[in-house]
Amino acid sequence: MRPIQIAIDGPAGAGKSTVAKRLAKELGYCYIDTGAMYRALTFKALKKKYDINNEDTLRDLIKKTHIEIKNVCKENQIFVDSKNVTYEIRKPEVSNNVSLVAKSKHVREYMLKLQREMAQSGGVVMDGRDIGTVVLPEAEVKFFLTASLQARAHRRYLELDKKGFNVDLDTIAQEISLRDEIDQQREYAPLIQAIDAILVDTSNQTIDEVVESLKQEVERKI
Ligand code: C5P
């Protein structure tokens, strides 16, 4: 099998990262979690008390920041300025502010460059919001994963609960719905299904079923 680029996009909680990770493992590919990169920058911005609604401030922040994903071919570890923030970036405070940082033009340009470099050699499954449309428009296979808000909120609840965060289902549903709205309505690289992406509704499917159907699509295309 020739190593290709696989793009997986979709709203929060659709199962993208779990599925992408599993698919990459089964294909012997690397997995790149682009959401973690936006989260890492947001984590630093909040910690250093940057005004995340100000483009100039964000531009200044980018200049002073080094973001890196290590261990891409196993379990992504995300570093900001050499500090491992893999756990911290999942905190609700980061989740609730990341979309505001991600709508910045400067932030997106910075991430685009890094993400393209990481994917250039192929053999990657990259997940995010604009992978099939902007980051890797030439990706050989593109998926757009979605699910009902109820299913997505429930999954996110279980995920955060397992990580030890104290969370409430209704609050999570409201938060992810707001985050999707900001991601869909932003000016640069909004969350949208690429015209050549395969739509997969994961609401009533198990992870195994979704991974299997994606794998079959990939095998059909290569
Ligand atoms: O995938 P995850 O939920 O961790 O992404 C967090 C946020 O990062 C998204 O809600 C979105 O605002 C931003 N993001 C983005 N483009 C990507 C990946 C994530 O704007 N490719």
Side-chain angles (χ1 to χ4, degrees):
M1 272 206 291
R2 73 195 160 93
I4 62 164
Q5 294 174 330
I6 300 170
I8 304 186
D9 291 301
K16 297 183 304 293
S17 60
T18 312
V19 167
K21 227 180 275 180
R22 282 269 308 275
L23 182 65
K25 195 170 174 201
E26 297 208 9
L27 296 169
Y29 278 21
C30 295
Y31 162 62
I32 302 169
D33 176 0
T34 63
M37 300 168 75
Y38 288 95
R39 284 173 177 272
L41 187 66
T42 305
F43 172 77
K44 179 170 171 183
L46 295 175
K47 199 170 165 85
K48 302 270 180 197
K49 303 204 183 319
Y50 273 78
D51 176 2
I52 59 171
N53 294 303
N54 184 314
E55 271 293 311
D56 293 335
T57 316
L58 288 175
R59 187 168 26 184
D60 176 50
L61 170 68
I62 294 161
K63 279 192 201 139
K64 295 178 182 156
T65 305
H66 178 70
I67 290 183
E68 195 181 354
I69 299 188
K70 293 188 182 164
N71 215 18
V72 270
C73 297
K74 289 192 182 116
E75 189 70 27
N76 284 199
Q77 295 290 311
I78 181 98
F79 288 77
V80 180
D81 306 332
S82 311
K83 177 179 161 46
N84 189 334
V85 293
T86 310
Y87 175 79
E88 282 97 329
I89 61 168
R90 301 294 154 195
K91 288 185 175 169
E93 193 196 0
V94 174
S95 303
N96 294 338
N97 286 287
V98 62
S99 288
L100 299 173
V101 173
K103 62 183 204 173
S104 149
K105 181 173 180 256
H106 292 109
V107 168
R108 300 211 73 83
E109 280 170 358
Y110 167 78
M111 296 295 180
L112 179 64
K113 190 167 170 284
L114 281 181
Q115 291 161 3
R116 283 195 177 150
E117 277 167 14
M118 291 171 81
Q120 68 182 354
S121 53
V124 290
V125 180
M126 187 174 257
D127 87 348
R129 303 293 189 285
D130 61 340
I131 310 304
T133 48
V134 176
V135 182
L136 305 176
E138 307 298 327
E140 286 86 344
V141 189
K142 300 178 187 177
F143 296 104
F144 193 86
L145 257 58
T146 189
S148 66
L149 178 62
Q150 201 185 12
R152 294 189 286 119
H154 187 63
R155 280 188 201 138
R156 202 30 69 89
Y157 171 83
L158 294 178
E159 209 177 283
L160 290 170
D161 189 53
K162 203 170 143 191
K163 285 192 171 128
F165 294 115
N166 186 11
V167 282
D168 163 73
L169 187 58
D170 288 342
T171 310
I172 291 186
Q174 279 169 18
E175 286 169 357
I176 63 175
S177 156
L178 178 64
R179 186 142 65 93
D180 290 345
E181 205 179 305
I182 300 172
D183 289 344
Q184 282 159 349
Q185 289 177 359
R186 70 182 171 220
E187 190 176 353
Y188 305 102
L191 165 65
I192 187 175
Q193 183 182 343
I195 42 167
D196 49 350
I198 300 162
L199 179 66
V200 182
D201 187 329
T202 67
S203 308
N204 299 310
Q205 295 191 69
T206 65
I207 296 294
D208 284 349
E209 286 167 343
V210 179
V211 173
E212 192 46 41
S213 76
L214 265 54
K215 206 172 138 202
Q216 281 175 13
E217 290 289 353
V218 171
E219 283 165 356
R220 247 200 296 276
K221 295 235 177 176
I222 54 180

